[in-house]
């Protein structure tokens, strides 16, 4: 049985309202050490850069905020899981510069590239909606997403193929998994939960279905495309 380690869990609470709620908890519980803007200043380090010494994933960030860091003054938070996720969303937002991102490109030219390069074909169907992406990702992250889509593929876009003990094959995107079950999104049938015990062979494909556009741009075209993506109406 080829079985790989469980996917890391992504933050389920990342809307603007979640971030705003997280900010309130943060100001009450964390700002005294990490500063109102997360840049440090009290007993805590700068946590505004998006790179953490002790966490590389949303899940890691959750654990730190939930449990604290034993052996240091960093306390656990007296909040429930939903609240901790919202604090994590706020902490993540500090590095993103949610507003006023600019790039020296021509958004109208970028809009044309968005359809001529075929982005719209996927991103209006199975791929993530890019509306408002400028508030969620830094320009540098967008650049990486376009030039090197394999760099950081969210687990919800990993595909899994399972051969079941009854001989049938199940394929889909991994939405969630735990010790006993795997929740899959099957493109034709919707969400489905399979029991690990009923699986005889499991294979993960962690590649992004998105092709690299590395050699597809000339001059300022990539900047134009990104200017379009972060403009108010990315469609
Ligand atoms: C009493 C001061 C204090 C408070 C309050 C506090 N922290 Fe910390 N925090 C620290 C210290 C000190 C560290 C560094 C520990 C270490 O790595 O040695 C830390 C580390 C962290 C880290 C990991 C940084 C990294 O680079 O890995 C995160 C994230 C974090 N804190 C978030 C929070 C959040 C969110 C809150 C509020 C729920 C909070 N902290 C409350 C002192 C504090
Ligand atoms: C074959 C389908 C496909 C095409 C064509 C495609 N994408 Fe994607 N794209 C995806 C999928 C699926 C993801 C999510 C998985 C991942 O992050 O790789 C994604 C992710 C992204 C992300 C990251 C989104 C996030 O939440 O961080 C950006 C930005 C993006 N695409 C932009 C583009 C642009 C711009 C184009 C055209 C130049 C394009 N894509 C073409 C399928 C596609």
């Amino acid at each position: 049985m080829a079985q790989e380690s469980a996917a890391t869990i992504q933050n389920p609470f990342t809307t603007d309202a979640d971030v705003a709620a997280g900010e309130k908890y943060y100001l009450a519980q964390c700002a005294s050490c990490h500063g109102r803007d997360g840049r440090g200043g009290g007993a805590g380090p700068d946590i505004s850069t998006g790179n953490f010494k002790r966490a590389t994933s949303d899940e890691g960030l959750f654990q730190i905020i939930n449990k604290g860091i034993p052996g240091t003054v960093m306390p656990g938070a007296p909040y429930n899981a939903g609240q901790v996720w919202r604090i994590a969303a706020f902490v993540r937002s500090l590095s993103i510069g949610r507003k006023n991102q600019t790039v020296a490109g021509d958004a109208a030219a970028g809009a044309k590239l968005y359809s001529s390069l075929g982005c719209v074909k996927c991103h209006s169907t199975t791929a993530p909606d890019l509306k408002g992406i400028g508030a969620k990702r830094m320009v540098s992250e967008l650049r990486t997403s376009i030039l090197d889509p394999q760099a950081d593929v969210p687990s919800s876009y990993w595909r899994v193929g399972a051969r079941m003990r009854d001989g049938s094959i199940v394929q889909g995107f991994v939405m969630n998994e735990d010790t006993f079950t795997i929740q899959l999104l099957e493109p034709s049938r919707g969400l489905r939960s399979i029991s690990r015990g009923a699986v005889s062979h499991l294979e993960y494909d962690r590649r992004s279905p998105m092709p690299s556009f590395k050699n597809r741009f000339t001059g300022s075209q990539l900047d134009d495309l990104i200017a379009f993506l972060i403009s108010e109406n990315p469609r």
Side-chain angles (χ1 to χ4, degrees):
M1 183 187 293
Q3 190 170 304
E4 303 220 31
S5 63
T8 67
I9 301 164
Q10 305 230 316
N11 192 339
F13 298 97
T14 57
T15 65
D16 288 349
D18 292 327
V19 171
E23 179 170 19
K24 289 211 185 88
Y25 305 132
Y26 176 89
L27 290 175
Q29 203 69 30
C30 325
S32 58
C33 287
H34 291 286
R36 293 180 67 86
D37 55 3
R39 299 209 176 141
D46 185 347
I47 53 167
S48 71
T49 63
N51 294 314
F52 305 104
K53 249 184 6 214
R54 294 179 182 270
T56 53
S57 63
D58 278 1
E59 194 179 346
L61 192 54
F62 177 93
Q63 297 298 354
I64 289 176
I65 298 171
N66 194 34
K67 300 218 175 88
I69 303 174
T72 77
V73 294
M74 166 76 195
Y79 292 123
N80 67 34
Q83 291 167 322
V84 172
W85 279 125
R86 290 177 174 95
I87 297 172
F90 171 71
V91 171
R92 272 286 288 159
S93 79
L94 292 170
S95 64
I96 293 175
R98 300 175 70 77
K99 296 172 193 101
N100 307 324
Q101 289 205 94
T102 55
V103 59
D106 173 354
K112 292 199 186 114
L113 288 166
Y114 192 69
S115 40
S116 67
L117 289 172
C119 318
V120 66
K121 262 193 294 181
C122 289
H123 284 282
S124 60
T125 53
T126 52
D129 189 353
L130 298 180
K131 199 160 194 305
I133 193 77
K136 292 193 223 144
R137 305 280 181 257
M138 288 185 284
V139 166
S140 60
E141 292 175 308
L142 294 175
R143 241 181 253 284
T144 303
S145 289
I146 295 167
L147 299 180
D148 186 11
Q150 306 306 339
D152 184 14
V153 183
S155 57
S156 56
Y157 285 92
W158 297 353
R159 283 154 295 174
V160 72
R163 183 187 301 282
M164 309 301 287
R165 295 203 180 283
D166 67 9
S168 62
I169 304 274
V170 179
Q171 285 176 312
F173 295 102
V174 183
M175 291 294 115
N176 212 339
E177 40 186 339
D178 60 33
T179 317
F180 303 109
T181 62
I182 304 172
Q183 278 88 51
L184 293 179
L185 183 63
E186 279 190 290
S188 53
R189 299 178 48 181
L191 205 57
R192 170 162 178 192
S193 176
I194 58 175
S195 154
R196 285 189 191 274
V199 173
S200 70
H201 182 80
L202 200 58
E203 241 168 55
Y204 288 86
D205 183 351
R206 293 191 167 79
R207 286 168 304 172
S208 174
M210 176 164 157
S212 166
F213 288 84
K214 205 170 232 147
N215 301 314
R216 303 290 298 277
F217 302 106
T218 56
S220 67
Q221 283 184 330
L222 180 56
D223 284 345
D224 295 347
L225 186 58
I226 291 175
F228 167 66
L229 290 177
I230 67 178
S231 66
E232 293 266 57
N233 298 301
R235 285 262 176 87

